[in-house]
């Protein structure tokens, strides 16, 4: 089915879903019973796929993909850059008689061998050591990537070097999921529960901006760096709070609808769409899924947002901070652990105070976050996010946990000798007979907290909009695995004994008492919190380079090694790549900034000066006085800033020359002040680039 064909029945809409994926529905149709059963076992329970069915699966995948118009397949992976990677091979093989046949073997499905030399490896690989391998991840469905006239079968894979080191983001994620599942299972076993599987789940809410493409193309800063390096706020931006959840403009809604349909066809469970806080800012949220599938799907969402936008003469900006002064974009990572039998292990139930299993998992998460707040902070550090964290809009660079009133009350009770009661749901009467009486949640929300409990999951809100969730989720799973390991080790000797519950409660109490400093229900944006957090000894890490330091600490290396998530070399490589790409990115920004000063702003200001001086001369030669003061005053003001611009340009050039990242940042900020001031006095028709007012407001075409 074409993804853009209108549907007018529930059946049609349902059959659109997943129609472009080799998912459960398709596999059932194309595979033998035996192969289907084996695939499902791997998908649902994990474990290695029986290699004897690889040929059959490959053949079925090819037949299906060709029926969808595909001519090529690719092992699709996520290298250590911000992008995804693909190298296409056609299904065509010579038949030995001068013709060709279509062929796709199990071997080609399971393993690929792209040249690894030009991907970032953080020193793991020298350029001449080229060999790398991709390995099929059968738990994430293969899908069709389509353009107007092409279709390619994309097979999600992990990517490693010839020597076996993970060179991608998926491998450590899968390893961390296995680690946390292993430890959570041990804890559940202590409670006498035998889960079929423990899953780490992720629902990633994606924020983004849209801008008219014609305006975008006039802004080299947006093109080169994804953010505006200059531009002053218009009088009206987000103060009236009229954009958030506002009525969606037709052009934008058409775009969103096209995105949703493409996502549904790809089996991505897109659920929610709405306007965000800043003008020109929006959000898309799919339903949660196993973390590796959700990460793949989020990467696909970002790709589709960008590609679909172009069809509406728009550009989608995924950068964390495209515009100074209005809200930036995040990617809230809703995370939980669950089993098919119990659902979320973070589900409090009606009486959380007596729900010992819940309290054990809750206390474990609290401990993990407190012990490793700096690691979690490192997982979200990148240049774009530095502009966001700590501002009055995004969760601050101090990692703390919001639990809400109900759970905070229980924590207080636990600390003071034992929890006896839970504040329950109450009903809300709205005072109008025709309106329903609403059940009120036990807990309000808190959008200022970087790590908030929201009902039966935690929401890690500090993740940047352009980064993949793979790294933050790998770190979160790993640190929680560590605490669950310790909990299991302490509880196992008492499992099945009469003392078990008392021992478990003792452990919960101990963890809560020791780690409650990380709990904070108040306003995370306030100055008081910064001071209070410092008093509590919580790390407050403001910048990327500072945040990345923790990655090379011996205890971090030991942690990742212990749970088999990353070797020392793999971890250090990731640090090196992040540091290097931060430095490179700031350098690109600085050079773009310099280029715009020299070739765009200076000529425009020169023109303005010529024009005003012409006016001054004309007034003088006309022999009149009126107007001379105004014209001279403007010439003086613009001229002074023009001179100032010369100094700022020279300073920036020298910072670039020296390759000093901090100086580059400072000089860019200083140059911006000069240019933004000029923007407020230079003639509108002489201003050489689109303004914030123009870019932030999307008009119908
Ligand atoms: P919000 O109001 O913050 O947008 P929602 O309930 O709409 O919260 O959920 C946001 C995201 O959280 C969605 O992706 C949703 O599927 C996901 N989510 C819901 N329950 C869980 C859970 N138990 N584990 C992980 N993610 C979840
Ligand atoms: Mg949310």
């Amino acid at each position: 089915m074409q993804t853009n064909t209108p549907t007018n029945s529930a059946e049609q809409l349902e059959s659109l879903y997943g129609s472009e994926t080799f998912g459960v529905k398709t596999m059932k149709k194309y595979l033998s019973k035996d192969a289907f059963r084996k695939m499902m076992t791997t998908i649902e329970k994990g474990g290695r796929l029986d290699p004897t069915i690889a040929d059959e699966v490959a053949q079925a995948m090819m037949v299906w993909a060709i029926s969808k118009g595909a001519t090529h397949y690719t092992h699709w992976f996520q290298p250590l850059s911000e992008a995804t990677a693909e190298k296409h091979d056609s299904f065509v093989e010579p038949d030995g008689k001068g013709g060709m046949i279509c062929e796709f073997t199990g071997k080609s499905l399971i393993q690929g061998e792209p040249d690894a030399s030009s991907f970032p490896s953080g020193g793991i690989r020298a350029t001449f050591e080229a060999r790398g391998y991709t390995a099929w991840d059968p738990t994430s469905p293969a899908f069709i990537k389509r353009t107007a006239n092409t279709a390619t079968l994309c097979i999600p894979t992990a990517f490693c070097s010839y020597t076996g080191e993970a060179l991608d983001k998926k491998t450590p994620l899968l390893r961390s999921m296995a680690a946390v599942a292993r430890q959570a299972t041990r804890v559940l076993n202590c409670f006498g529960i035998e889960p079929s599987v423990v899953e780490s789940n992720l629902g990633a809410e994606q924020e983004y901006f849209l801008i008219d493409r014609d305006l975008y193309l006039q802004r080299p800063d947006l093109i080169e760096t994804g953010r505006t390096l200059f531009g002053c706020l218009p009088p009206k931006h987000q103060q009236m709070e009229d954009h958030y959840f506002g009525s969606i403009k037709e052009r934008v809604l058409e775009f969103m609808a096209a995105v949703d349909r493409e996502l549904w066809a790809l089996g991505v469970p897109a659920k929610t769409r709405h306007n965000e806080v800043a003008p020109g800012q929006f959000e898309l949220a799919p339903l949660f899924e196993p973390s590796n599938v959700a990460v793949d799907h989020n990467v696909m969402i970002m790709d589709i947002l960008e590609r679909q936008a172009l069809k509406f003469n728009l550009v989608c900006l995924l950068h964390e901070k495209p515009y100074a002064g209005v809200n930036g974009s995040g990617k809230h990572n809703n995370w939980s652990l669950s089993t098919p039998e119990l659902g979320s292990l973070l589900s409090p139930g009606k009486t959380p105070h007596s729900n010992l299993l819940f309290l054990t998992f809750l206390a474990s998460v609290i401990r993990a976050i407190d012990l490793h707040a700096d690691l979690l902070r490192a997982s979200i550090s990148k240049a774009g996010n530095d502009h966001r964290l700590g501002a009055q809009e995004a969760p601050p660079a101090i990692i703390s946990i919001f639990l809400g009133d109900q759970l905070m009350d229980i924590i207080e009770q636990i600390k003071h000798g034992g929890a006896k009661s839970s504040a329950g749901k109450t009903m809300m009467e709205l005072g109008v007979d025709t309106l329903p009486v609403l059940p009120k949640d036990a807990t309000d929300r808190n959008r200022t907290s970087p790590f908030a409990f929201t009902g039966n999951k935690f929401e890690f809100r500090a993740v940047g909009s352009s980064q993949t969730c793979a790294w933050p989720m790998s770190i979160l799973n790993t640190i929680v695995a560590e605490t669950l390991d310790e909990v299991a080790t302490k509880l196992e000797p008492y499992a099945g004994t009469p003392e078990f519950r008392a021992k478990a409660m003792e452990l919960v109490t101990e963890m809560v008492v020791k780690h409650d400093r990380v709990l904070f229900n108040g306003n995370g944006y306030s100055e008081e919190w910064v001071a209070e957090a410092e008093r509590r000894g919580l790390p407050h890490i403001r910048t990327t380079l500072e945040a990345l330091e923790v990655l090379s600490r011996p205890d971090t290396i030991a942690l990742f090694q212990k749970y088999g998530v990353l070797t020392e070399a793999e971890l250090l490589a990731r640090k090196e790549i992040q540091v290097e790409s931060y430095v490179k990115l700031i350098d690109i920004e600085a050079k773009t900034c310099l280029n715009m000063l020299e070739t765009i702003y200076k000529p425009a200001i020169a023109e303005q000066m010529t024009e005003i001086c012409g006016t001054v001369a004309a007034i003088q030669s006309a022999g009149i006085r009126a107007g001379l003061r105004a014209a001279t005053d403007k010439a003086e003001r613009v001229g002074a800033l023009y001179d100032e611009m010369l100094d700022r340009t020279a300073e920036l050039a020298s910072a670039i020359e020296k390759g000093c990242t901090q100086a580059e940042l400072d000089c860019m900020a200083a140059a911006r002040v000069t240019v933004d001031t000029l923007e407020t006095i230079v003639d509108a028709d002489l201003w050489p680039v689109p303004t914030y007012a123009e870019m932030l407001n999307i008009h119908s075409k």
Side-chain angles (χ1 to χ4, degrees), residues 205 283 332 334 445 454 457 459 461:
E205 304 165 51
E283 178 179 307
H332 303 166
N334 295 271
R445 289 164 179 270
T454 46
K457 62 183 193 281
E459 186 172 352
R461 303 170 56 91

Side-chain angles (χ1 to χ4, degrees), residues 18 20-24 26-27 30-31 57 60-61 64 141-143 153:
E20 299 271 277
T21 69
F22 197 70
V24 176
T26 317
M27 285 193 290
Y30 280 80
L31 292 177
V57 176
M61 234 186 227
W64 168 76
F143 60 93
L153 170 66

Side-chain angles (χ1 to χ4, degrees), residues 201-205 286-288 334-336 344 445 456-457 459:
N201 298 306
L202 167 65
E205 304 165 51
L287 293 173
F288 72 92
N334 295 271
W335 170 90
S336 68
S344 173
R445 289 164 179 270
N456 63 352
K457 62 183 193 281
E459 186 172 352

Side-chain angles (χ1 to χ4, degrees), residues 121-122 124 551-553 557 566-577:
S121 76
I124 287 181
L551 294 180
S552 52
R553 248 179 23 205
I557 295 170
L566 289 170
T567 63
E568 177 170 0
E570 288 170 334
L571 180 63
L572 295 180
R574 276 154 183 80
K575 180 187 173 192
E576 188 176 319
I577 290 168

Side-chain angles (χ1 to χ4, degrees), residues 2 4 97 127 129 134 196 245 278 327-328 341 352 396 611 695:
Q2 278 297 314
N4 53 1
K97 300 179 205 124
T127 315
E129 298 170 314
T134 48
S196 55
F245 283 9
N327 271 19
E341 297 79 20
E611 195 167 289
M695 292 187 289

